Amino acid sequence: MENNQERIIKQAHFAGNLSRYWLTPLTIILILSIVGIPLLLLWLPLGSYFIQRYINNMSTELTSKKLVVRKGIFTRTENTVPLDKITDMALIQGPLMRFFKLHKLTIETAGQSGNGALLSLTGIVDVEEFRSLVLEQKEKLNQAKPNNNQDENNDASVISILQQISATLERIEANTNHNKND
């Protein structure tokens, strides 16, 4: 039986203050609106509970060939991105993120539909190191791809087949011209 298990290179961990970062925007809005102040009594405990559950269900791991991201509370999603399909990995940090010392890592892939990033991961601890590891592994994977000798062999094979087809077409044409003359 073949072992399809890939080696896990890095398991990402998420910052402890990520839940406070996600709680802050709505908390500020509720405080600024007079009507929202009583809702804070509901938002803070419920928001904290569900955000923490969401964070606990998040996982990101880098394997030798792909990046696997799992998240969700009610609807669990798992995204698997082959490393050779990654075209861009951007680090984003807005003012509130700078305050909490967090970054958002966005991942774009070749062939993705729509605008924006395919994946967006906020709050990875040592995000620069994680990004570097992903890019290193992507480069190793690209270098390990078969060299051009196989492509040259395929090219020679295609040329041979095309020559055979051409010869066959010439024979058919010659037979057709011969039959017209008779």
Side-chain angles (χ1 to χ4, degrees):
M1 186 170 173
E2 186 179 325
N3 184 4
N4 288 332
Q5 292 295 324
E6 292 182 40
R7 181 175 62 93
I8 296 176
I9 296 171
K10 176 82 173 172
Q11 180 84 33
H13 300 284
F14 294 91
N17 62 349
L18 183 58
S19 61
R20 284 183 289 170
Y21 165 73
W22 279 338
L23 276 172
T24 301
L26 187 57
T27 301
I28 290 170
I29 291 170
L30 291 175
I31 288 172
L32 292 176
S33 68
I34 303 298
V35 178
I37 292 174
L39 292 176
L40 278 175
L41 297 172
L42 199 59
W43 166 242
L44 290 176
L46 284 176
S48 295
Y49 172 75
F50 283 107
I51 288 173
Q52 194 57 52
R53 276 199 60 202
Y54 186 81
I55 292 170
N56 291 341
N57 286 332
M58 289 184 352
S59 71
T60 301
E61 59 189 34
L62 170 63
T63 70
S64 54
K65 294 183 180 177
K66 62 189 172 204
L67 188 64
V68 180
V69 178
R70 295 176 192 92
K71 57 186 172 180
I73 298 176
F74 303 113
T75 303
R76 301 275 305 174
T77 60
E78 179 177 309
N79 292 20
T80 303
V81 180
L83 295 179
D84 59 348
K85 299 293 184 206
I86 293 175
T87 57
D88 187 33
M89 294 182 73
L91 288 176
I92 299 169
Q93 191 180 43
L96 193 56
M97 288 179 154
R98 277 194 297 278
F99 178 78
F100 283 100
K101 296 178 175 61
L102 298 172
H103 285 87
K104 181 191 314 188
L105 177 66
T106 61
I107 300 163
E108 295 181 15
T109 61
Q112 77 185 46
S113 59
N115 292 335
L118 173 68
L119 290 175
S120 183
L121 303 167
T122 302
I124 292 179
V125 175
D126 295 326
V127 68
E128 293 94 351
E129 177 194 356
F130 185 78
R131 178 178 179 243
S132 294
L133 283 172
V134 172
L135 293 175
E136 271 178 39
Q137 187 60 31
K138 174 183 168 35
E139 188 64 30
K140 285 179 188 176
L141 198 60
N142 286 342
Q143 290 175 356
K145 283 188 177 179
N147 57 18
N148 289 340
N149 290 342
Q150 289 181 343
D151 290 340
E152 290 171 7
N153 291 340
N154 287 341
D155 289 346
S157 172
V158 168
I159 289 171
S160 173
I161 291 171
L162 287 173
Q163 287 171 340
Q164 291 172 6
I165 291 171
S166 177
T168 303
L169 288 173
E170 287 174 5
R171 284 193 306 274
I172 291 171
E173 188 175 272
N175 284 339
T176 305
N177 288 339
H178 181 61
N179 288 339
K180 284 183 183 178
N181 294 337
D182 286 344

